[in-house]
Amino acid sequence: MTTTSYKAQISRLGAIYLIVLAGLAQFSCSSEKKTQIVRQKLSINEGWKFYKYENVGEADELIYDVRPDLKNNQELRVADAKPTEAVDVSASQEVLKPWILPTANGFINNPKNHYVRPEGKPGANFPFVQGGFDDSAWESINLPHDWAIAGPFQKGWDSEVGGGMGRLPSNGVAWYRRKLNMATEDLDKAIYLQIDGAMSYSMVWLNGHLVGGWPYGYNSYQLDLTPYLKPGADNQLAIRLDNPNHSARWYPGGGLYRNVWLIKTNKVHVAQWGTFITTPKVSEEAATVRLKTTVKNDCKEGETVEIETAVYALSAQGVRSSTPNKVFEKQEISIAAGQKAEVISEVQLDNPKLWGPFPTQTPNLYVAITQLYKNGKLIDEYETRFGIRSLEFDPNRGVLVNGELIKIQGVNNHHDLGALGAAFNKRAAERQLEILKEMGCNAVRMAHNPPAPELLELTDSMGFLVMDEIFDSWERKKTAHDFHLIFPEWSEADARSFIRRDRNHPSIIMWSFGNEVGEQYTGAEGAAVGQRLYDIVKEEDTTRPTVVAMNFAKHDMELPKVPDVIGLNYQGEGIRWEPQFEGTDRIRTAPSYDAFHKQFPDKVILSTETASVFSSRGFYTFPVTPEISSPTRDGQGGNSELSHVSSYELYCVDFGSSPDRVFKALDTHPFVAGEFVWTGFDYLGEPTPYYNARSCYNGIIDLAGFKKDRFFLYQARWRPDFPMAHILPHWNWPRREGKITPVHVFTSGDEAELFLNGKSLGKKKKGEYEYRLRWDDVLYQPGTLKVVTYKNGKVWAEEEIRTTGEARKLTASADREIITANGNDLAFVTVKVCDEEGLMVPKSMNRIDFEISGPAEIVATDNGDQTCMTSFTSLQRKAFNGMALAIVRTQKGQPGKIILTAKSEGLETAQLEIVSK
């Protein structure tokens, strides 16, 4: 179709649209001609068409704004290098930013700072936004969707996307299109589009009209579609995304990677994220529940409505109790046309079921059902889940939840889900939390951005504590195209919307508004930026403390004065304090807990990042350092030829420390509230120290979800009452007979005896500030290693490992063998290469071919190898040190028996049955 014909079609559609608008004018908000129904939240994840330009040079010119040129971009940048000033740029072409900025107005408190939408319809004539455009050749997809995760991986030092962003094609410009059919009964409704996350610079057109957008890829947002809709007809929704290269220090993903919803309400309704529940007084006998409700009036005249809210208890399965526990007094509220109004009410709930973290407390939840009535008729119903708990931050003890001291045993996690990429899947996230819970982890830091809303639903129901975080950079940049480009215009809206969305989650115990920001280096000027953000956070929520994670700012600098909690990244243990860094130009920091505690005696101190240890699962090098912590170098835990790091769990990034050294620092400073380890899981991108790889080495658990040895070191510390013992390394070492092969034991016991082929190698007892037991002079002999551990003089736990035979067969096991036929549920299948006796052969790298029959598909495979460049969608995968993973997804509405088959040449085939119900 020619451009002229497109213009003619748009003209005809415009005329029809004016007729429809005239018809709409007949329906006032108070009209009784239509039967009003309550709110609907409809998933529109299915039925999308997707197109991505081959390269940025071919993309259309409907840009949000111009960006700085990439000059001297450095891939191998030290993680704690000083961020630099923004680069000024000026636009030489029309940009759409002026039409997008008004989307932020609802989160900018001062009306004088609101953005005014210009006249005009930018992009209206572009074919992709028009209903008549033929997109049948585009890819058909369902959401959530990560356009980059299928790859291919980009190899080599001159690749377009380097190791920092995961070597996957997340950069580029793409479009999503979908029809929305609106019934005529929606004529008097307010219709909103809700996007839970779009990476990034999203801009939305409906029927050729640019509705709005949001640049920051991690924030959720809503757009009012009502003025642009054609009820009783198909409506064309078109969304443009522009994800720049060098926009992150890790893998960001690309696309509409979280859920997308259509929300239908009456014109008078509870506003977006319009309830805020707090519990100012909490005890086991009674709790005060305070509810602030914001009501929006989209009518052209003022309206008066009544508000009534009932509180119900929720079961562990999320089922509402049959009768309310408490009902708020009904209130009347008047709202001017086109405005919002707030009402605050309180009730006392007797004998409340408190929300608290496992294992000592129970994450009990409630739901508040808020109903709006007009002239006695129900016009809106809004659900708010919440928990009742008290928080206390004691500078000399740490965090108290419901009066109980809870040491933070936390991890940092990025947002990708391994082989599934950034596309959110609730079951995949739940599996991660289950593995962390098994380890004894009780807290998660959302590094370094707002998570999917469903992840917070999981932390609420599973009893995790959460540090919710919004910014990795402020005005100064870490990468050329990161958030600093939009910080001046969007930081207030991003911060406020982030808090309003998440503030009712009881699992969130603090707000972080910055991570290792460049403003640490700029004294009072940088602190002023922090103070502005602090004030915004406190205007939104005074019930939780704030924190900024600092890897440079010292106790006598300006920035630490701003937040409520002192968050230290690596500084507590000291940064590069080993003698080998003396005389270098690297940043060196003495152990700092005492200095901060003395300077800020009224503030809680928390280690927001600790450790940053490297390891490749099942990979070991010799000799082993005699130290308790060591930087990583070739011959010192590292192997740059293979791009792997030894799993003795002693080797770390230069600015980091081993777990052992971190534990000692925490135990000798009991006033520190706890730690968030860097990281819980390996994540895509940032593969320090080997940037030719695809994913990081820092995780306690690898990218496939397989436990590294370090898992058991943390489990021994975080679950002291759980009998466990773990031996490393494996015991398959041909050509090492008679050579020193150190054996380490991780146990929650306090003493252990090690046996090699039945002969005792001696008993060892943990000394003060010792967290592992080491037999560093063991001479390797094939056979059996066994450890018997003791606690308080009694046998506690045992483990035995053996030298295996040759690989003979595959075995397969699933995390769950019964899953739900909803099109989203997953089974994670672990395949192991084993000998005749079923023992995993630890150094095996056999190629495995996966097949599936029944109502399901294999959506991804992985092996946890940071250097593996096989596409995640491949059905062929080499085992890495004996293990591989297949992720099986059900087909919607198609229950039945699923058979997964794993084959490898020369090995016995493995089959596994999974039932989809």
Side-chain angles (χ1 to χ4, degrees):
M1 187 178 290
T2 65
T3 303
T4 303
S5 61
Y6 276 122
K7 290 181 177 179
Q9 186 178 29
I10 290 295
S11 178
R12 290 194 298 274
L13 290 173
I16 295 171
Y17 182 62
L18 289 174
I19 294 170
V20 173
L21 282 179
L24 281 173
Q26 301 175 25
F27 296 90
S28 71
C29 291
S30 57
S31 172
E32 297 297 330
K33 296 179 182 178
K34 289 283 181 180
T35 302
Q36 293 181 321
I37 61 172
V38 295
R39 131 183 345 243
Q40 294 174 286
K41 184 178 181 182
L42 307 172
S43 171
I44 54 170
N45 281 347
E46 297 182 356
W48 289 83
K49 288 291 189 175
F50 170 74
Y51 171 77
K52 184 171 182 283
Y53 292 101
E54 286 285 335
N55 58 69
V56 175
E58 296 178 1
D60 57 76
E61 295 186 352
L62 297 174
I63 64 172
Y64 172 83
D65 201 0
V66 294
R67 300 189 183 106
D69 291 333
L70 293 172
K71 295 179 180 179
N72 303 319
N73 194 70
Q74 194 174 2
E75 172 76 352
L76 292 174
R77 190 171 176 274
V78 180
D80 65 341
K82 178 180 177 180
T84 55
E85 293 180 355
V87 176
D88 291 330
V89 292
S90 57
S92 57
Q93 65 184 100
E94 182 182 49
V95 299
L96 303 191
K97 180 167 70 171
W99 284 268
I100 303 301
L101 282 170
T103 307
N105 286 345
F107 303 96
I108 298 174
N109 273 13
N110 188 345
K112 294 180 180 179
N113 295 329
H114 284 188
Y115 297 101
V116 177
R117 182 183 173 100
E119 296 294 327
K121 293 172 59 180
N125 295 325
F126 186 68
F128 293 0
V129 309
Q130 298 173 7
F133 174 74
D134 182 6
D135 57 16
S136 59
W138 287 19
E139 182 181 356
S140 296
I141 58 101
N142 293 329
L143 307 180
H145 177 240
D146 180 349
W147 74 48
I149 195 59
F153 285 100
Q154 299 177 11
K155 304 174 185 178
W157 293 112
D158 58 350
S159 61
E160 182 181 10
V161 179
M165 286 176 58
R167 300 191 170 275
L168 288 165
S170 57
N171 61 315
V173 177
W175 285 82
Y176 292 81
R177 284 169 47 92
R178 189 191 192 277
K179 298 286 187 184
L180 299 177
N181 185 272
M182 305 304 296
T184 53
E185 53 262 33
D186 292 326
L187 281 170
D188 55 354
K189 296 289 186 296
I191 311 295
Y192 295 92
L193 178 72
Q194 178 171 305
I195 296 176
D196 285 345
M199 190 65 68
S200 55
Y201 289 90
S202 56
M203 298 190 288
V204 178
W205 281 262
L206 183 67
N207 297 327
H209 296 266
L210 179 57
V211 183
W214 204 283
Y216 191 36
Y218 295 103
N219 266 29
S220 304
Y221 70 98
Q222 279 188 10
L223 293 173
D224 185 359
L225 302 183
T226 315
Y228 312 106
L229 281 167
K230 299 177 294 183
D234 279 339
N235 294 263
Q236 185 60 59
L237 184 64
I239 302 175
R240 183 188 192 272
L241 301 183
D242 179 4
N243 208 29
N245 203 357
H246 305 289
S247 62
R249 299 181 294 123
W250 56 83
Y251 175 72
L256 294 175
Y257 70 109
R258 293 178 182 165
N259 291 313
V260 177
W261 309 89
L262 199 66
I263 297 174
K264 299 181 181 182
T265 72
N266 286 290
K267 295 283 188 179
V268 181
H269 55 270
V270 176
Q272 176 191 12
W273 306 320
T275 56
F276 184 21
I277 295 178
T278 56
T279 52
K281 295 180 181 179
V282 175
S283 70
E284 293 183 354
E285 292 74 34
T288 300
V289 179
R290 179 176 297 162
L291 170 64
K292 180 173 76 171
T293 306
T294 304
V295 180
K296 188 169 187 271
N297 179 13
D298 284 339
C299 296
K300 295 182 179 179
E301 57 190 40
E303 295 287 339
T304 299
V305 297
E306 290 183 319
I307 301 177
E308 188 175 82
T309 299
V311 174
Y312 298 82
L314 291 175
S315 70
Q317 293 73 37
V319 178
R320 186 196 308 178
S321 60
S322 57
T323 57
N325 295 70
K326 203 75 174 184
V327 177
F328 285 80
E329 184 178 349
K330 186 176 289 187
Q331 293 177 289
E332 189 174 87
I333 183 173
S334 296
I335 318 103
Q339 300 297 314
K340 297 177 184 177
E342 292 180 354
V343 60
I344 296 175
S345 54
E346 282 187 3
V347 294
Q348 179 173 297
L349 197 62
D350 295 328
N351 303 311
K353 295 181 178 180
L354 302 184
W355 185 96
F358 67 88
T360 57
Q361 299 186 40
T362 304
N364 296 300
L365 292 169
Y366 289 88
V367 62
I369 305 298
T370 300
Q371 296 179 320
L372 302 186
Y373 290 88
K374 180 181 174 184
N375 299 327
K377 182 181 292 186
L378 179 67
I379 61 170
D380 194 20
E381 184 171 280
Y382 190 89
E383 180 178 297
T384 309
R385 294 193 175 207
F386 70 100
I388 298 172
R389 51 105 176 100
S390 66
L391 282 180
E392 181 184 351
F393 283 71
D394 186 322
N396 296 309
R397 299 172 68 199
V399 180
L400 291 89
V401 182
N402 301 322
E404 180 188 1
L405 180 65
I406 305 292
K407 279 294 182 181
I408 302 298
Q409 299 175 172
V411 299
N412 290 268
N413 256 6
H414 272 303
H415 74 300
D416 75 71
L417 294 168
L420 300 173
F424 186 78
N425 179 281
K426 192 170 183 177
R427 172 55 201 162
E430 182 181 45
R431 174 188 179 240
Q432 286 194 342
L433 292 175
E434 287 171 349
I435 296 169
L436 292 172
K437 190 171 186 178
E438 180 188 352
M439 184 173 65
C441 171
N442 65 8
V444 180
R445 177 184 175 210
M446 302 300 175
H448 300 288
N449 37 258
E454 294 83 2
L455 181 53
L456 294 173
E457 293 173 8
L458 288 170
T459 56
D460 285 347
S461 63
M462 296 176 72
F464 282 87
L465 304 177
V466 170
M467 177 192 291
D468 210 1
E469 192 159 79
I470 179 67
F471 300 132
D472 186 52
S473 58
W474 295 345
E475 294 176 346
R476 299 174 73 82
K477 63 183 172 69
K478 296 179 180 178
T479 58
H481 292 156
D482 66 19
F483 179 77
H484 82 279
L485 295 177
I486 51 177
F487 184 86
E489 293 102 347
W490 285 91
S491 55
E492 179 181 356
D494 274 313
R496 292 191 193 278
S497 65
F498 150 73
I499 292 173
R500 291 182 198 175
R501 190 198 74 169
D502 292 351
R503 60 192 175 183
N504 290 311
H505 290 282
S507 55
I508 297 173
I509 61 169
M510 66 187 89
W511 304 112
S512 172
F513 58 92
N515 171 66
E516 298 183 353
V517 294
E519 284 71 10
Q520 293 176 99
Y521 299 83
T522 58
E525 180 185 350
V529 179
Q531 187 65 51
R532 181 178 69 85
L533 292 172
Y534 174 89
D535 292 342
I536 289 171
V537 173
K538 287 300 183 180
E539 286 170 4
E540 295 295 327
D541 180 18
T542 59
T543 69
R544 298 173 177 92
T546 63
V547 64
V548 174
M550 299 175 293
N551 66 329
F552 175 78
K554 307 300 183 287
H555 66 279
D556 55 354
M557 293 183 179
E558 294 299 311
L559 186 59
K561 299 175 183 178
V562 176
D564 303 309
V565 171
I566 300 294
L568 299 180
N569 288 7
Y570 312 107
Q571 295 195 70
E573 302 81 54
I575 295 175
R576 297 188 183 91
W577 209 238
E578 294 86 356
Q580 71 186 80
F581 294 109
E582 289 182 12
T584 69
D585 61 354
R586 307 297 294 279
I587 296 172
R588 301 186 74 224
T589 303
S592 301
Y593 286 139
D594 289 322
F596 275 96
H597 191 48
K598 182 178 180 180
Q599 184 76 17
F600 299 101
D602 297 326
K603 291 189 178 187
V604 164
I605 295 175
L606 175 66
S607 220
T608 37
E609 286 182 29
T610 62
S612 199
V613 170
F614 300 137
S615 59
S616 304
R617 176 186 50 78
F619 177 84
Y620 306 90
T621 62
F622 307 97
V624 176
T625 178
E627 305 297 329
I628 67 164
S629 184
S630 170
T632 304
R633 300 287 187 273
D634 273 357
Q636 197 172 318
N639 185 319
S640 58
E641 184 177 345
L642 297 177
S643 295
H644 283 306
V645 183
S646 177
S647 280
Y648 274 93
E649 312 297 13
L650 293 165
Y651 304 100
C652 49
V653 69
D654 285 2
F655 53 75
S657 301
S658 70
D660 311 61
R661 185 169 151 192
V662 172
F663 297 161
K664 180 179 179 180
L666 292 172
D667 286 346
T668 53
H669 298 88
F671 56 82
V672 178
E675 65 171 321
F676 287 96
V677 180
W678 191 265
T679 54
F681 284 76
D682 282 351
Y683 55 93
L684 289 164
E686 204 171 13
T688 309
Y690 304 122
Y691 265 66
N692 58 335
R694 68 176 194 188
S695 51
C696 90
Y697 296 77
N698 301 98
I700 299 170
I701 302 142
D702 76 14
L703 198 71
F706 300 146
K707 300 164 186 172
K708 300 182 186 179
D709 292 289
R710 207 178 331 148
F711 175 96
F712 301 98
L713 183 56
Y714 282 100
Q715 186 181 63
R717 176 173 175 84
W718 287 350
R719 296 182 65 184
D721 297 326
F722 176 62
M724 56 79 60
H726 176 75
I727 300 172
L728 66 141
H730 60 73
W731 211 237
N732 277 36
W733 296 108
R735 297 181 296 279
R736 285 195 67 82
E737 284 87 347
K739 294 183 179 180
I740 291 178
T741 307
V743 176
H744 292 190
V745 171
F746 302 153
T747 179
S748 50
D750 52 37
E751 190 176 11
E753 186 172 10
L754 184 68
F755 299 87
L756 175 56
N757 295 328
K759 180 182 177 181
S760 175
L761 300 184
K763 217 174 195 183
K764 291 182 181 284
K765 190 175 182 69
K766 290 179 183 175
E768 187 177 26
Y769 307 126
E770 287 184 351
Y771 306 94
R772 67 174 76 199
L773 294 167
R774 303 173 64 147
W775 286 261
D776 283 333
D777 56 356
V778 177
L779 301 180
Y780 175 73
Q781 299 173 15
T784 301
L785 268 180
K786 180 179 179 180
V787 68
V788 179
T789 67
Y790 301 83
K791 194 161 191 173
N792 300 322
K794 296 180 180 180
V795 173
W796 180 247
E798 299 180 5
E799 186 179 64
E800 180 178 288
I801 63 173
R802 285 188 279 162
T803 307
T804 72
E806 296 294 320
R808 290 287 184 263
K809 61 183 178 181
L810 299 178
T811 64
S813 62
D815 64 328
R816 298 177 308 149
E817 294 185 359
I818 299 176
I819 53 180
T820 305
N822 58 12
N824 293 313
D825 204 6
L826 304 173
F828 290 82
V829 179
T830 299
V831 175
K832 295 182 179 180
V833 180
C834 296
D835 68 4
E836 197 65 45
E837 297 183 47
L839 298 176
M840 188 185 79
V841 182
K843 298 173 75 173
S844 53
M845 306 287 186
N846 305 63
R847 195 189 84 172
I848 300 172
D849 296 300
F850 293 96
E851 299 174 0
I852 196 166
S853 63
E857 61 179 329
I858 299 172
V859 290
T861 63
D862 194 12
N863 56 15
D865 179 359
Q866 294 95 338
T867 69
C868 182
M869 297 298 173
T870 302
S871 168
F872 287 126
T873 59
S874 174
L875 299 184
Q876 297 177 344
R877 173 79 50 185
K878 279 189 174 183
F880 177 61
N881 291 330
M883 301 177 75
L885 175 77
I887 305 175
V888 174
R889 182 172 62 199
T890 60
Q891 293 178 353
K892 187 176 181 180
Q894 298 184 40
K897 185 166 65 175
I898 302 160
I899 302 294
L900 179 90
T901 303
K903 299 179 179 179
S904 184
E905 186 176 356
L907 302 182
E908 183 182 323
T909 295
Q911 277 198 336
L912 179 70
E913 180 179 311
I914 302 167
V915 177
S916 176
K917 287 190 173 183

